[in-house]
Amino acid sequence: MTVQADYSDATQASGEAIIELQDVDKFFGHFQALKDINMKVGLQEVVVVIGPSGGGKSTLIRCINRLEKHDNGRIVVDGIDLSDDVRNIQEVRRETGMVFQSFNLFPHLTVLDNVTLAPRQVRNMAKKEAEALAMQMLTRVKIPEQARKYPGQLSGGQQQRVAIARALAMQPKVMLFDEPTSALDPEMIKEVLDVMVELARGGMTMIVVTHEMSFARAVANRVVFMAEGEIVEVGTPEHFFTDPQETRTKLFLSQIL
Amino acid sequence: MWRDLRVLRVVVQVLAVFVVGAMAYVLWFNLTNNLRAAGLATDFDFLTQPIGVDIPGSGLSPGAPIWRALLVGIKNTLALVVVGIPLVTVIGVVVGIARLSTNWLVARAAGLYVELLRNIPPLLIIFFVFNAVILRFPILQESINISDLLIINNRYLAVVGFTAQPNFGPFLLILAIALLISAGVWWWRTRRSERTGEPHHRVLWSLGVFGVVAIVAFVALGAPIGLSRPVLDGRALEGGYVGLASYFAVLLALVLYTASHVAEIVRGSILAVPKGQTEASNALALTSFQRLRHVVLPQAMRVAIPPVISQYLNFTKNTSLAIAIGYAEITRLTFQTIGNGQPAPQMIAILMGAYLVFSLIISLLVNVINRRLELVTR
Amino acid sequence: MTIETPVFEESVVEVEPARGPMDWVRKNLFNNWYNTVLTLAMAALFVWAALALARWLLGADFEIIRVNLRLFMIGRFPADQLWRPWVATFLIAILIGVVGGSLAATARDRAVEAGLPFTETTFRQVLSRFWPIIALVVVILAFTTTITPTLLTLLAAALGVGAYFLGRVLPRAVRRWTWGLALLLIVATYLALAGFGGLGWDDWGGLQLNLFLTVAGIMIAFPLGLLLALGRRSSLPVVRTISVTYIEFVRGVPLITLLLAGAFALGFLLPSDVRPGFVTRMLIAITLFEAAYIAEVVRGGLQAVPRGQVEAAQAVGLPTRTTMRLVVLPQALRATIPAMVGQFISLFKDTTLVSILGVTELLDATFIVNSQSDFLGQGLFVVTLAFAGLVFWVGSYTMSRESRRLEKRLGVGER
């Protein structure tokens, strides 16, 4: 895997780039959060994005499902060019699933209803079918017995796993993770990471923003280091942690490892 | 021993009872003495005496006993409350959501309405509506008459009413059955949607079925409902449904005032829903309407309901302001009876008691609703 | 809480940064069919309303206000004692100035200590904050017939501004006593009106009476409300029952019933030789009413103080009374300030109710002037009610805006 400082090739598990960002900029007022981002993510690839706070990692993945609007450049998701058209945006959002740092479960619905809401409303699934699918997903994240409970009754780790199940229930092509374990107590981080590892091994395309290096080492195909809005360095996990090239990368790694 | 906490507690409480009791006794003593000195009754027997004033729109003569007049007063208060509170809710919710619209003009218009009405005393609004709107209508003899279906003047508003014709009873029965049938249709469409996943359109179906049955029955039974047109008869209006101008003035004024407060509450409650909920809904590809219906509004409602119920209470209490323009609700009647020489303490006690009952009922409702809506946590 | 739109932006067609006003209009007002309909309907409504308002303003006869301005402002205060309300106005201007300046200086000091940036309020900002009041004063002055009121108002404004800067430069030690000074000025204001052969509040009227009832009502009700709130939280069942009964009773009835009681029933409860004046009765009723609401506001504030505070105080050995005084109450009362301002505004609007009982405050003045022989039956109610409405609206709106600013400020400048 060659190491380029400003863009990356897609790894060739299947040969196609499912997400492509070309010359993407993003401004918040005068502040430039993303600078000339070029990136391709291949099918079934697991990309881990690391970097200091404010470096643009969250902004990057939030642009992919249009929670933030990019200002310049092109973002293509599964062949759909992200534009201002509402139908485009909805299509992209159907094919991407997102897991948030603060879970964002719907507190007034049961766990089961949380997971079945979108399939029923967006994909017009029948109730029984949706509930069967939901139980499947909840089993996959290892908490099927919590189906009838409310989010407020669950621990942080359980809530995040429900959030993963909720995103999976839409059967997306790509899963986006925005610091999924940062709000969890240490003893619950492992249970969520285990679910994510299994997901990766099962062939899901994932982009994960995280500080958990253990996860990167276990399943990442590529690690992308972002700072000050640009992609600084890209490489395989081994390369990254044993032989980083850029100064900024070395500085950051020395602080977290 | 006197430093012991337990002893102190008892002593303080005994003292409190004593002080309050002494105060109450002194007041009671003064009360009865002064009443007697003024030649006024000290009990509630006076309630059987004639009211001595004319109560427009009630059908009671001045000779009717006071207690009957008070009942009319309560009915009039309820007439305001029962019609007003639903109106307040509808207008308040619509304006509250409108204020968050992406259409700039709509949002600004809603904002203007809220900021204008919220900051003006309700009594002033009542006077304004009464004087600037109601009294601008022509006098009785020159009423605005829209083909005998609607008559407006500065004292009454009359609309065409319904009368029972032959076959009215059977028609009502059929309507009741139609209601059951449409409830069944609702249930059927919901189940069908759950089974197949298609949109249920249950509102349209239920209303449609009800409408069809009602119309067919109406025609088949030979028009069992007749119209009663209001007619100007000398100095009064006969027929149809007649409402007092003062009633409408108070209703309009209080509804507009209270709705502006409710709109603010609704707006605040929607803004209080955490942004993460919106983002999660968007990430799941829900449309903005689905998001509103399934995620935002249910959560906003929980935050909004206690203060909104408080506004309902305020509405109920504010109906007492109708005293100012002569609408015969209980406060005004109390005022008039006192003016006629009846003992004030008893009358006012009755008045306060009536409002306390209203408040209690509404408060109980709050608690019940609150308990049902509480989010379930550990 | 600002009005920005986090919730409704998203799934509607995303708006690119507008490339000019026409573009903004197209994206915000006409982006789909129902928005277009709404915009046209609203625009039509606005235009019609603006035209109707303009037509009315230009055509209406404001003579009734011009002639009766004094009645509106101070009721039936005798003409030869006019200097009293003016002196009172000066004192209040100084009061507001000093308190404002002192608060600003404290805020600045705190910011400097915390290393946070502190921006000076510019004259422009003051203008944009208080334009309703300034506009109202201008309108009222426009109704005066001589130049004297205008000059005196300018003098009052100058005194206020001077007092503001005085308050700003006061050293910290002196600033602690600003509240004492405020109290002193309030007493002085009362004396200016009533002392030295003046008129007690039973003879006051107009807007002055509304303001007096509001301020006096809240001031006298506050200690009572505080006691009730503490009583409600007491562990002694008798005390708690008495407090709860009082609070729930008073909150369950409309103010007018208490005013009626004050007017007609109070006399029976007092010994026959005690005959309070009418305004006094109203004030008693208002005080008893407000005390219950203040009790609830204070209760909310007390609940907002985290339990950990009391526990920490106990852990260092502070006795209960001292904990209350130095730890709980300061935090609780600070938390109640927004709600207290809300109560103040409510009471200000509710003072209009005394007009029903014949007391000549601002709203009642509108009735009186419309019955004067010169103006009877000319349908001038709209004019007078609009004027009264304007006064109340300006007062209420300004106070609620300031309250929102205060809320934000208190959130930031916490210790």
Side-chain angles (χ1 to χ4, degrees), chain B residues 9 13 30-31 34 103 105 115-116 118-119 127 136 257 267 282 291 317 320 348 351 355-356 359, chain C residues 3 7 10 29 35 39 235 237-238 249 251-252 256 268-271 293 349 367 382 393 396 404:
Chain B
R9 286 164 66 97
Q13 291 185 76
N30 283 337
L31 180 66
N34 288 330
N103 184 320
L105 263 182
E115 287 305 324
L116 188 65
R118 237 170 30 120
N119 292 303
F127 273 115
R136 289 285 165 103
Y257 176 73
R267 182 177 79 106
N282 284 342
R291 185 183 69 211
K317 288 190 280 181
S320 59
I348 295 181
L351 182 65
Y355 280 108
L356 278 175
S359 299
Chain C
I3 313 181
V7 174
E10 316 302 330
L29 301 176
N35 255 343
T39 306
S235 51
V238 166
F249 177 86
R251 277 164 54 99
I256 188 75
F268 290 109
L269 292 171
L270 299 169
Y293 286 84
K349 292 188 288 182
F367 308 145
V382 185
W393 185 86
S396 199
R404 263 178 268 172

Side-chain angles (χ1 to χ4, degrees), chain C residues 203-286:
Chain C
D203 296 307
W204 296 357
L207 178 61
Q208 174 183 304
L209 186 59
N210 292 89
L211 290 171
F212 165 69
L213 285 174
T214 313
V215 172
I218 294 262
M219 270 179 52
I220 303 176
F222 186 77
L224 186 55
L226 186 58
L227 279 176
L228 283 168
L230 292 173
R232 191 167 182 168
R233 282 165 60 101
S234 161
S235 51
L236 305 171
V238 166
V239 175
R240 195 168 55 230
T241 317
I242 297 178
S243 305
V244 170
T245 317
Y246 179 90
I247 294 174
E248 291 306 318
F249 177 86
V250 171
R251 277 164 54 99
V253 298
L255 176 59
I256 188 75
T257 57
L258 284 164
L259 291 177
L260 282 175
F264 299 117
L266 187 65
F268 290 109
L269 292 171
L270 299 169
S272 43
D273 49 347
V274 178
R275 286 257 147 269
F278 208 75
V279 174
T280 316
R281 294 169 186 247
M282 298 292 99
L283 188 57
I284 293 176
I286 289 178

Side-chain angles (χ1 to χ4, degrees), chain A residues 84-103:
Chain A
D84 286 338
D85 189 1
V86 166
R87 277 167 309 177
N88 254 5
I89 301 177
Q90 295 298 83
E91 244 190 291
V92 167
R93 286 174 174 171
R94 284 198 288 271
E95 300 309 322
T96 54
M98 182 167 239
V99 176
F100 298 86
Q101 181 176 348
S102 48
F103 331 140

Side-chain angles (χ1 to χ4, degrees), chain B residues 45-62:
Chain B
D45 287 341
F46 66 91
L47 284 174
T48 48
Q49 293 189 15
I51 179 114
V53 292
D54 190 31
I55 305 174
S58 67
L60 284 184
S61 70

Side-chain angles (χ1 to χ4, degrees), chain C residues 50-66:
Chain C
L51 281 179
L53 187 66
R55 211 179 311 134
W56 174 78
L57 271 176
L58 291 173
D61 180 12
F62 294 102
E63 191 62 28
I64 186 174
I65 301 180
R66 205 170 292 133

Side-chain angles (χ1 to χ4, degrees), chain C residues 358-376:
Chain C
V359 176
T360 311
E361 47 71 67
L362 181 55
L363 188 59
D364 193 50
T366 62
F367 308 145
I368 294 179
V369 304
N370 271 290
S371 318
Q372 290 172 341
S373 48
D374 285 339
F375 303 109
L376 184 60

